[in-house]
Amino acid sequence: MGTTNDNDSNKDSLKYKLFPQGSRRLFFAKVIRRCVLHPAFILSALSPRHIKSFIRTIKKEGMEGVFLRYRYVEDIDDNRIENKGVVLLKEYKIKKIKKLEGLEPISFNHYDNPTVSIVIPVYNQFDYTYHCLKSIKEQTKNISYEIIIADDNSFDFTTRLDEVVKGVNHIRNKENLRFLLNCNNAAKQARGKYILFLNNDTQVLENWLDELVKLMDDETIGMVGSKLIYPTGYLQEAGGILWNDGSAWNYGNRKNPNGPEFCYVKEADYISGAAIMIRSSLWKELGGFDERFVPAYYEDTDLAFEVRKHGYKVVYQPASVVVHFEGVSNGTNLTSGQKAYQVENAKKFYEKWKDVLEKDHFKNGENVFVAKDRSRYKKHILVIDQYVPHYDQDAGCKCTYMYLKMFVKMGFQVTFIGDNFYKHEPYTTTLNQLGIEVLYGNYYNNNWQEFLKENLKYFDYIYLQRPHISIKYIDLIKEYCGDAKIIYFAHDLHHIREKREYEITGKKEKLASAEEWKKIEYELFSKADVGHVVGSFEQGIMQKAFPDKPIRNIPLYIYDDKPEGIRKDFSQRQDLMYVGGFGHPPNIDAVMWFGKEVMPLIVKKYPDIKWHVVGSKANEEVMSLASDNIIIDGFLSDEELAEMYKNTRIDIVPLRFGAGVKGKVVEAAYYQIPLVTTSIGAEGLDATMGNMHVVDDAQEMADYICSIYEDYDKLREMSDAGEKFIEQNFTSKAAEDILRLDIDI
């Protein structure tokens, strides 16, 4: 039934700006483009006539979204122009059903052992029930389920439901039990592993059920719930907050449902009962909804507290979206009808849970930042990088992604800022599903300083990455972070890399660049509490520069599994490979050097051998190497790259300049492929374990590759050494042991 709660709208957070006042000559194409990038902004620069045309264009192009002007949402009527502002929403409607004849029939499959039992309590309102069932049929594809209609003695078309809906268990009560008892009664017939209570005044959206079931794979979770939106498109609730006086908030009420605060998996004090799923075993253990809350209201909130009392978590799943026509059954008047029980049951709830509320919950409206995801007793870490990590694109992003997962595993509540504040997909949703709050969009782009000033007090650790990003944030963070520990992760030392490029190319601008980067990097290490680098070489440089500061050599990559399908019979594998993104100058130089200086020497002995060059953003220079022997494969997905590693005999990393530990070198060891590299490629790593051979001279490199190409025993030996190399240096335990030197959790 749900608990209707206070509106927690923070009006100031709804201020968005795009165009300067007075600008009138705007092209709709430009406006639409900005709408796609930033779906919430000011449109006050447009005249009412242009706004009408703009709305028609958006609808025609199928680009409906939520547009907020520089005013409060609640001040604007839905789908109306007001003061040159507009809110454009995708509106969900219910068509009134006046007769059953001609109504499209709905038929559900039967499963002997359904994963989910969907219990839908109904009392009249046939049109809502029908459209709810229709949406379930259309939007639920991959999960086996049964539907139980808990008909509480209806007298409208619901009595004839079986004429148009087949394959449901229609339980018809002989007398009106009302909501709570109706649910408890119907749930007795549930056969699924999970029971999902779904209001009949809902419409479910794509993959709604799949996403809930995915979360239940975590055995620590007892109950999950959906993101609820109003039929006008506004957010109704992204999980609920309970305050220590027993009052409640539908968190995010009437805000943009795509706001970053509402799009990550998190714990919640409760989730309104319009769409909640619970383990069947736990439901039986609890005995169903507590009957002291008969006939309705606060039973869902109480259930959440009982779930936690029994050792499980209550979790909100933003990827499961349900439209809720709130108030259809019982209205919104708190002084009459069944709705009046909300006030009475609020008192009962407070008396039952008074001790828990006073101990674990904040005063009304205070500390919302940690109240929204029940992270009061968690350690908080803020991670800042250039953008949401594209973990399949380059080594630095892959490293960031692995450490974000590590922080979650360690029990942190993680907030991530990508300096471009863009919602890159699918990467942002991947982080959101890990439970990481990612800040993106126009508001945070324009107000990140205010966010830090207001919320740094909640963070225990700040994890800054990359010099060009960190230098922008370091001073403000130091001013407002209080006792939080600042850790700076260099990824690699830019000034070392730039100086080495100068030594190879003779470009004087690289020498000047090296000096500038050195100033920035030394300033960051000086201001941070702890420095992180990858590789013993760079650790030695910075520890010498800062003898009194902890400088940690952390694993570049973290692996907790082993790749499947590794073929140790190297006679069944062939050719050479290289991996590296060509937005990075060292990779271009490496490929050009090997392609021109080394590969021709190898081809003399093995005329049919091929060298596969893998990586995104290959420029014309790299493409010019393409031949019968040099294959420019370009970007490969993680799955395709894994197959390449498993089917190739030798990996080549011929870097002549660069800095830090090279991800491609570690990745080669993970995939247990023999590696030939240079002293720059092997820098910072133990090259004595046998998985790699280090050589810098072109002729010597060619000779060595040819000497082992058909030495299958040697290749097998190097492959086995790579497996041990990872086990000793690049696991979660290795990373966590180092992190815990400075992190207390």
Side-chain angles (χ1 to χ4, degrees):
M1 176 62 68
T3 305
T4 300
N5 306 296
D6 300 335
N7 187 340
D8 68 321
S9 296
N10 179 352
K11 298 180 178 181
D12 288 339
S13 71
L14 297 172
K15 297 179 179 179
Y16 294 88
K17 185 175 182 180
L18 178 63
F19 300 112
Q21 293 290 334
S23 177
R24 291 292 183 266
R25 304 184 64 182
L26 303 170
F27 294 100
F28 286 141
K30 178 180 179 182
V31 178
I32 291 171
R33 177 178 174 276
R34 294 303 297 268
C35 292
V36 174
L37 294 177
H38 303 288
F41 59 82
I42 186 172
L43 289 175
S44 62
L46 299 180
S47 68
R49 178 174 63 84
H50 282 151
I51 289 174
K52 290 179 181 178
S53 179
F54 174 74
I55 293 173
R56 287 195 298 270
T57 304
I58 289 291
K59 288 183 175 180
K60 181 179 179 181
E61 297 298 324
M63 297 165 62
E64 293 172 301
V66 181
F67 298 88
L68 308 178
R69 63 185 297 279
Y70 196 66
R71 288 186 53 184
Y72 307 142
V73 174
E74 55 267 36
D75 290 342
I76 306 173
D77 293 337
D78 299 336
N79 298 317
R80 270 190 64 220
I81 297 168
E82 182 180 303
N83 260 355
K84 299 182 182 178
V86 63
V87 176
L88 178 60
L89 301 161
K90 183 171 183 180
E91 188 168 2
Y92 298 86
K93 296 182 179 180
I94 291 290
K95 184 178 180 181
K96 193 72 174 176
I97 297 174
K98 297 182 179 179
K99 60 179 182 178
L100 296 185
E101 290 71 26
L103 201 61
E104 179 184 353
I106 306 173
S107 180
F108 293 95
N109 296 329
H110 172 78
Y111 298 95
D112 291 332
N113 297 293
T115 301
V116 183
S117 296
I118 303 174
V119 177
I120 305 177
V122 303
Y123 178 62
N124 296 323
Q125 302 293 346
F126 173 80
D127 40 4
Y128 283 93
T129 302
Y130 175 82
H131 287 291
C132 174
L133 292 170
K134 190 168 185 250
S135 72
I136 293 173
K137 179 66 177 179
E138 293 172 350
Q139 305 292 359
T140 314
K141 306 297 183 183
N142 304 311
I143 303 296
S144 62
Y145 62 93
E146 65 170 347
I147 293 179
I148 301 172
I149 300 295
D151 182 355
D152 204 17
N153 199 230
S154 300
F155 51 81
D156 66 351
F157 281 149
T158 305
T159 60
R160 299 171 57 191
L161 178 72
D162 297 342
E163 295 179 29
V164 291
V165 180
K166 308 297 182 183
V168 302
N169 183 3
H170 186 178
I171 302 172
R172 183 162 168 77
N173 299 334
K174 295 181 180 179
E175 58 181 351
N176 189 267
L177 300 178
R178 296 200 283 186
F179 181 83
L180 189 152
L181 294 178
N182 186 26
C183 288
N184 281 357
N185 180 59
K188 294 176 182 177
Q189 297 197 30
R191 297 178 296 119
K193 183 178 181 181
Y194 310 116
I195 299 174
L196 190 148
F197 293 96
L198 183 69
N199 278 19
N200 71 322
D201 58 342
T202 59
Q203 290 185 29
V204 301
L205 303 189
E206 186 177 9
N207 294 325
W208 73 291
L209 191 58
D210 307 56
E211 300 297 343
L212 294 176
V213 171
K214 284 179 187 176
L215 284 185
M216 284 297 198
D217 288 340
D218 182 346
E219 296 293 334
T220 68
I221 297 174
M223 188 165 78
V224 295
S226 304
K227 175 189 289 184
L228 302 178
I229 63 173
Y230 289 113
T232 54
Y234 288 121
L235 180 64
Q236 178 185 324
E237 177 190 294
I241 300 175
L242 261 293
W243 306 109
N244 64 6
D245 60 359
S247 60
W249 274 11
N250 295 120
Y251 179 64
N253 188 265
R254 285 190 61 79
K255 293 186 179 180
N256 180 351
N258 296 316
E261 303 92 337
F262 318 123
C263 290
Y264 68 103
V265 172
K266 62 175 185 172
E267 290 189 60
D269 288 340
Y270 74 97
I271 299 163
S272 290
I276 54 174
M277 177 190 288
I278 187 171
R279 296 182 185 277
S280 295
S281 57
L282 179 57
W283 171 261
K284 293 174 183 177
E285 183 180 345
L286 298 177
F289 289 125
D290 189 338
E291 294 188 7
R292 79 180 71 189
F293 298 103
V294 166
Y297 294 106
Y298 274 89
E299 75 291 327
D300 50 0
T301 312
D302 173 76
L303 183 66
F305 276 58
E306 286 287 358
V307 167
R308 274 191 296 275
K309 181 179 177 181
H310 283 70
Y312 292 90
K313 293 185 289 190
V314 175
V315 175
Y316 159 76
Q317 172 55 287
S320 173
V321 183
V322 173
V323 181
H324 183 210
F325 297 79
E326 186 182 40
V328 168
S329 301
N330 300 301
T332 58
N333 190 337
L334 296 176
T335 62
S336 63
Q338 187 159 293
K339 191 74 173 175
Y341 286 100
Q342 182 176 329
V343 176
E344 181 180 337
N345 282 353
K347 298 176 182 177
K348 293 180 182 178
F349 175 83
Y350 177 76
E351 289 303 318
K352 178 177 179 180
W353 298 104
K354 181 179 179 180
D355 292 342
V356 175
L357 290 168
E358 291 181 352
K359 175 179 178 291
D360 296 332
H361 295 254
F362 296 106
K363 292 181 180 179
N364 194 307
E366 295 184 3
N367 299 300
V368 176
F369 184 78
V370 292
K372 73 181 189 294
D373 50 24
R374 288 187 59 82
S375 58
R376 179 176 187 172
Y377 300 118
K378 285 187 175 183
K379 296 286 187 179
H380 289 72
I381 187 168
L382 172 65
V383 180
I384 301 178
D385 199 1
Q386 55 189 347
Y387 46 75
V388 175
H390 296 32
Y391 44 78
D392 56 353
Q393 298 282 337
D394 63 74
C397 283
K398 186 172 183 176
C399 175
T400 297
Y401 175 61
M402 287 180 165
Y403 274 92
L404 285 168
K405 291 196 295 183
M406 168 67 76
F407 293 143
V408 172
K409 181 181 177 182
M410 291 175 69
F412 280 108
Q413 187 66 45
V414 183
T415 300
F416 179 86
I417 290 179
D419 185 60
N420 67 347
F421 294 95
Y422 187 70
K423 189 181 180 183
H424 295 278
E425 292 292 16
Y427 309 104
T428 302
T429 294
T430 298
L431 296 189
N432 288 158
Q433 287 297 301
L434 290 172
I436 297 171
E437 180 180 21
V438 180
L439 304 185
Y440 53 79
N442 237 18
Y443 174 76
Y444 288 105
N445 185 43
N446 294 330
N447 297 280
W448 62 268
Q449 297 96 332
E450 286 70 20
F451 170 82
L452 293 178
K453 290 175 184 178
E454 292 175 8
N455 296 301
L456 277 172
K457 62 186 177 183
Y458 295 114
F459 291 97
D460 302 281
Y461 301 95
I462 316 295
Y463 202 65
L464 296 172
Q465 302 184 87
R466 304 179 208 268
H468 66 294
I469 300 300
S470 301
I471 200 66
K472 174 180 174 181
Y473 293 87
I474 186 71
D475 288 333
L476 185 66
I477 286 173
K478 283 188 70 67
E479 182 177 356
Y480 289 95
C481 72
D483 295 329
K485 183 174 289 187
I486 301 172
I487 303 172
Y488 170 60
F489 179 22
H491 279 248
D492 64 20
L493 294 179
H494 285 29
H495 72 276
I496 297 292
R497 186 181 70 215
E498 295 287 279
K499 186 176 181 181
R500 285 173 172 170
E501 185 172 357
Y502 161 73
E503 292 169 349
I504 290 291
T505 66
K507 296 178 181 178
K508 292 183 179 180
E509 64 270 21
K510 291 297 177 181
L511 186 59
S513 175
E515 290 302 316
E516 287 299 314
W517 281 122
K518 185 173 182 178
K519 292 177 184 177
I520 293 172
E521 290 176 321
Y522 275 54
E523 179 181 347
L524 288 167
F525 275 96
S526 174
K527 292 179 177 179
D529 298 302
V530 180
H532 279 183
V533 296
V534 288
S536 57
F537 178 77
E538 294 193 355
Q539 182 186 29
I541 291 175
M542 299 315 296
Q543 194 66 79
K544 183 178 180 181
F546 299 94
D548 298 325
K549 188 180 296 288
I551 306 295
R552 311 297 186 194
N553 173 14
I554 65 171
L556 176 64
Y557 287 166
I558 303 168
Y559 295 110
D560 286 322
D561 60 354
K562 293 183 179 181
E564 297 179 356
I566 298 296
R567 293 193 294 177
K568 296 287 188 173
D569 182 357
F570 280 84
S571 67
Q572 300 300 308
R573 299 164 66 159
Q574 60 185 3
D575 297 330
L576 314 174
M577 67 179 290
Y578 174 81
V579 181
F582 296 105
H584 197 47
N587 291 324
I588 297 174
D589 176 81
V591 167
M592 298 307 297
W593 177 73
F594 187 87
K596 291 181 177 182
E597 302 293 331
V598 184
M599 194 62 186
L601 302 175
I602 299 173
V603 171
K604 287 181 180 180
K605 182 172 183 179
Y606 294 102
D608 297 326
I609 197 170
K610 291 177 173 54
W611 183 40
H612 291 272
V613 178
V614 179
S616 60
K617 303 178 182 179
N619 61 11
E620 291 184 8
E621 188 178 17
V622 172
M623 295 300 297
S624 70
L625 289 174
S627 66
D628 291 341
N629 297 107
I630 301 178
I631 312 301
I632 311 299
D633 290 286
F635 173 78
L636 297 182
S637 68
D638 284 349
E639 294 74 20
E640 292 169 329
L641 181 58
E643 288 303 308
M644 179 77 74
Y645 274 121
K646 294 172 186 177
N647 290 289
T648 304
R649 284 191 191 174
I650 304 172
D651 189 15
I652 314 296
V653 180
L655 291 166
R656 297 197 299 167
F657 64 90
V661 169
K662 316 307 182 293
K664 56 181 69 67
V665 172
V666 178
E667 191 170 73
Y670 172 71
Y671 282 104
Q672 301 169 36
I673 182 172
L675 175 69
V676 177
T677 187
T678 60
S679 55
I680 294 295
E683 185 175 80
L685 298 171
D686 182 358
T688 66
M689 292 192 66
N691 61 303
M692 67 179 83
H693 181 78
V694 179
V695 56
D696 292 320
D697 178 76
Q699 183 65 59
E700 291 179 11
M701 181 175 286
D703 290 344
Y704 183 79
I705 292 171
C706 291
S707 72
I708 66 169
Y709 189 69
E710 294 181 286
D711 187 344
Y712 305 128
D713 290 337
K714 177 63 176 178
L715 294 174
R716 172 66 182 264
E717 180 184 320
M718 294 177 74
S719 174
D720 292 342
E723 184 176 0
K724 295 177 181 178
F725 180 82
I726 294 297
E727 290 174 354
Q728 291 185 18
N729 302 288
F730 294 93
T731 63
S732 285
K733 184 181 184 306
E736 192 169 328
D737 286 346
I738 296 172
L739 289 174
R740 289 189 182 277
L741 295 173
D742 305 296
I743 291 176
D744 178 24
I745 190 169

